[in-house]
Amino acid sequence: MKLHAAGLALCLTLPACGRQSASAVKEETAGLSDSATIDATSARTTALAQVPGGSIVTEELEQENGRLVYSFDIKKGAELGVEEVQVDARDGSVVSVEHEDAATEATEAKKDSAAAHQ
């Protein structure tokens, strides 16, 4: 999951059992949910369908490449890394599904941290 300026990018950790929380997804920037036409619960269902047997680890509503997306990191069993699934917050389509290993996540965190200190 790509995190942006510290304090703006907030992730919500969900129970490892994969239950879908009724709570609101965290927003990269306040007010993003006002532009979403797809609710977080529907987006979670769509994301989990992409990783059968997976559990949501983090979720965020963010602007990515000019698109408003729900971004979910999904862990599947003992497999290493996570699947990042992005769901368009306006039409509910799957934007991307990418595997992120620990090295990829660490690189993104370092880049985001550096950007936050600029």
Side-chain angles (χ1 to χ4, degrees):
M1 172 179 279
K2 293 176 179 61
L3 298 178
H4 301 283
L8 291 179
L10 300 173
C11 295
L12 176 65
T13 301
L14 296 176
C17 65
R19 290 181 302 186
Q20 295 182 26
S21 171
S23 65
V25 66
K26 295 297 181 176
E27 299 177 14
E28 173 186 59
T29 306
L32 284 181
S33 62
D34 295 341
S35 298
T37 55
I38 302 300
D39 64 76
T41 300
S42 296
R44 283 185 200 103
T45 299
T46 299
L48 286 168
Q50 300 302 304
V51 186
S55 299
I56 295 174
V57 178
T58 61
E59 60 183 22
E60 179 181 20
L61 180 60
E62 63 185 349
Q63 284 286 343
E64 179 109 4
N65 298 320
R67 212 173 193 167
L68 183 62
V69 297
Y70 290 101
S71 182
F72 301 93
D73 280 354
I74 302 175
K75 179 81 172 148
K76 185 171 181 180
E79 291 180 17
L80 298 177
V82 296
E83 300 302 317
E84 179 186 40
V85 180
Q86 292 186 338
V87 177
D88 190 292
R90 293 195 173 100
D91 66 18
S93 65
V94 175
V95 174
S96 67
V97 179
E98 295 180 16
H99 181 76
E100 291 186 344
D101 58 20
T104 303
E105 291 182 285
T107 299
E108 286 184 3
K110 185 176 180 181
K111 190 184 328 179
D112 294 335
S113 178
H117 291 99
Q118 291 181 1

